[in-house]
Amino acid sequence: MEFIDLKAQYQYLKEEMNQGLAQVLESARFIGGTEVSQLERRLQEYTTRKHCISCGNGTDALLLAYMAIGVKEGDAVFCPDMTFIASIEPACLLGATPIFVDIDIKSYNLDPQSLEERVREIKESGKFNPKAVVAVDFLGNPAELTEIRNICDKYDMYLIEDAAQSMGASYEGKKCCSFGDIACTSFFPSKPLGCYGDGGAVFTDNDEFAELMRSIKVHGKGVSKYDNVRIGINSRLDTLQAAVLLTKLSVLDEEIEKRGKFADIYQNALQDIVKVPQIREGNISSFAQYCVLFHSEEEKDFIAQRMEENGIPSLVYYPNPLHSLEAFDNVRQFHKGDFRNSQEYAQCNLGLPFSPYLKEEDQKAVIETVRTAVEEYRKMH
């Protein structure tokens, strides 16, 4: 059983995928081929944004966003405590101080109430300039973007949407990546829209930001890449990856619908024994992963062991809140609060096998194994 069945997806798309890759190989335009600009146009239309700019990976997408809004030393960037380090790492590279915010235990996303409390604390301290909030659509579940936007407007901060896991998801009827001053996504292979290597993109309606990011991603180019008007980076999506993404984009909405159906089956079968992710009414999650919460870390470890014994893969996604990482020891004095919810998530979460190509018999085996293991553990304790 595959945890994420990319092999089955390839078999489903094989003919179209091979044709697209063959066209790139025959053209030999591996950097800057027409497929790249075509993909940017398709994504721009899909998200209804004015600009889509592809880049080398999702982390670079966030770096481009932080550079475009001028993040620097002395700035505070607010980030959910439960996410991958890439959400905040580029801001730290630019000298900013990360300020972590607890999550809502039902959605696993940044909690707006906790966010406003932290913003007020930092503002009143006078130590940093509250610069931006990075709102992560965690596991593909859209963050509370309206509430977060209102807080950003109230305190004159930028909103960066980290939609690395939510391409294809929707918030209040609008596609993810269509929110924020700048939105960023990743095309890492396991993402809902993933390539066969690394890739990413940024989205904005701001012409100035778009011009800046197009320049920064090619060594700070002006008229050409040899006319360097600023310090930049080298971050380009290669043409082969664009061809892969064009093929996958054609079935993305179909796959999102399938993900939703499999998520409903898990939820209906497991919600009486574990905590399952809650999707706000009117929103659509891309379900980049399907993670449930057990009663304790010990129970989670027991269930994972039973799954392994039955040939069923699982994944802890993620095992550590950001505030606990050694990388952030130097800013630990600014980590107020106990981060109760992110700590519970880290200790108790377990990802179950999940993809649009999950076999029904495999999902039934996962459900049966989890329920049996939970019953066994709870009888013992």
Side-chain angles (χ1 to χ4, degrees):
M1 187 186 305
E2 300 282 343
F3 186 74
I4 299 175
D5 202 343
L6 296 178
K7 296 174 184 177
Q9 184 192 46
Y10 172 67
Q11 290 302 319
Y12 180 68
L13 298 170
K14 187 174 183 177
E15 184 176 349
E16 185 180 356
M17 185 73 73
N18 288 353
Q19 183 179 354
L21 291 171
Q23 288 174 353
V24 177
L25 293 171
E26 289 174 7
S27 74
R29 294 196 63 185
F30 302 116
I31 299 292
T34 56
E35 287 81 358
V36 176
S37 56
Q38 184 182 351
L39 176 69
E40 289 176 339
R41 286 194 303 271
R42 290 273 304 278
L43 288 171
Q44 178 188 333
E45 294 167 358
Y46 185 80
T47 59
T48 68
R49 294 309 291 256
K50 190 174 182 181
H51 302 280
C52 170
I53 303 152
S54 62
C55 60
N57 54 70
T59 307
D60 280 358
L62 286 154
L63 178 59
L64 289 170
Y66 289 132
M67 292 177 76
I69 65 172
V71 167
K72 61 185 184 304
E73 187 174 354
D75 289 338
V77 176
F78 298 85
C79 177
D81 191 42
M82 178 46 62
T83 183
F84 187 54
I85 192 173
S87 296
I88 194 65
E89 189 176 28
C92 298
L93 289 172
L94 296 172
T97 297
I99 304 297
F100 301 122
V101 180
D102 204 6
I103 61 169
D104 178 275
I105 199 59
K106 294 181 179 179
S107 68
Y108 312 158
N109 276 322
L110 184 150
D111 176 41
Q113 182 178 342
S114 297
L115 170 64
E116 185 157 18
E117 290 172 1
R118 296 297 282 125
V119 173
R120 282 202 302 264
E121 289 170 5
I122 293 300
K123 199 169 183 67
E124 290 170 4
S125 75
K127 293 180 179 178
F128 303 106
N129 169 47
K131 182 75 171 185
V133 176
V134 56
V136 180
D137 301 325
F138 192 67
L139 305 182
N141 185 13
E144 294 293 348
L145 293 161
T146 298
E147 293 179 51
I148 297 170
R149 172 85 269 178
N150 291 339
I151 293 169
C152 287
D153 290 345
K154 181 177 179 179
Y155 294 97
D156 193 25
M157 297 184 294
Y158 292 104
L159 172 59
I160 305 298
E161 183 190 0
D162 181 349
Q165 299 173 321
S166 61
M167 182 60 72
S170 300
Y171 175 80
E172 295 183 349
K174 293 180 64 178
K175 293 292 187 185
C176 289
C177 286
S178 64
F179 300 90
D181 297 287
I182 303 173
C184 308
T185 197
S186 167
F187 301 129
F188 187 79
S190 64
K191 305 299 185 186
L193 181 62
C195 56
Y196 289 165
D198 270 322
V202 289
F203 303 81
T204 187
D205 297 325
N206 185 300
D207 295 340
E208 182 181 351
F209 289 161
E211 183 180 357
L212 267 173
M213 291 188 289
R214 287 192 178 100
S215 169
I216 292 168
K217 67 171 261 185
V218 188
H219 301 286
K221 75 179 183 73
V223 177
S224 73
K225 67 179 180 180
Y226 302 114
D227 173 36
N228 309 99
V229 297
R230 57 180 55 86
I231 298 299
I233 61 174
N234 176 27
S235 185
R236 297 170 296 200
L237 180 70
D238 74 66
T239 314
L240 284 167
Q241 303 305 337
V244 170
L245 291 164
L246 281 167
T247 301
K248 290 192 177 187
L249 183 57
S250 67
V251 297
L252 178 60
D253 286 342
E254 173 189 324
E255 291 186 346
I256 294 298
E257 185 177 353
K258 289 179 180 178
R259 286 174 180 270
K261 289 179 180 178
F262 283 124
D264 286 344
I265 292 171
Y266 270 143
Q267 179 157 329
N268 292 332
L270 299 174
Q271 62 185 345
D272 63 320
I273 58 169
V274 297
K275 289 182 181 178
V276 296
Q278 299 295 312
I279 312 302
R280 198 174 97 174
E281 187 175 355
N283 292 353
I284 296 173
S285 174
S286 63
F287 287 105
Q289 308 282 346
Y290 192 88
C291 295
V292 299
L293 302 187
F294 293 94
H295 288 177
S296 67
E297 186 171 15
E298 293 75 19
E299 182 179 76
K300 177 257 296 180
D301 290 342
F302 181 88
I303 274 68
Q305 179 63 34
R306 284 290 182 266
M307 290 173 69
E308 183 179 1
E309 291 168 359
N310 284 274
I312 299 173
S314 64
L315 180 68
V316 175
Y317 201 89
Y318 301 102
N320 300 302
L322 292 185
H323 81 271
S324 69
L325 296 178
E326 183 179 350
F328 298 114
D329 281 352
N330 62 324
V331 293
R332 200 171 301 283
Q333 66 268 33
F334 307 116
H335 301 167
K336 294 185 178 180
D338 58 9
F339 299 103
R340 178 180 59 189
N341 292 336
S342 62
Q343 194 69 51
E344 178 184 346
Y345 176 87
Q347 292 173 343
C348 301
N349 87 84
L350 193 67
L352 308 181
F354 196 82
S355 83
Y357 303 90
L358 181 63
K359 296 175 183 176
E360 290 185 14
E361 60 267 30
D362 286 345
Q363 188 173 32
K364 288 179 182 178
V366 174
I367 292 167
E368 182 179 346
T369 301
V370 169
R371 291 195 66 88
T372 301
V374 168
E375 183 179 352
E376 180 185 358
Y377 180 86
R378 292 178 186 173
K379 280 183 178 178
M380 293 165 50
H381 297 80

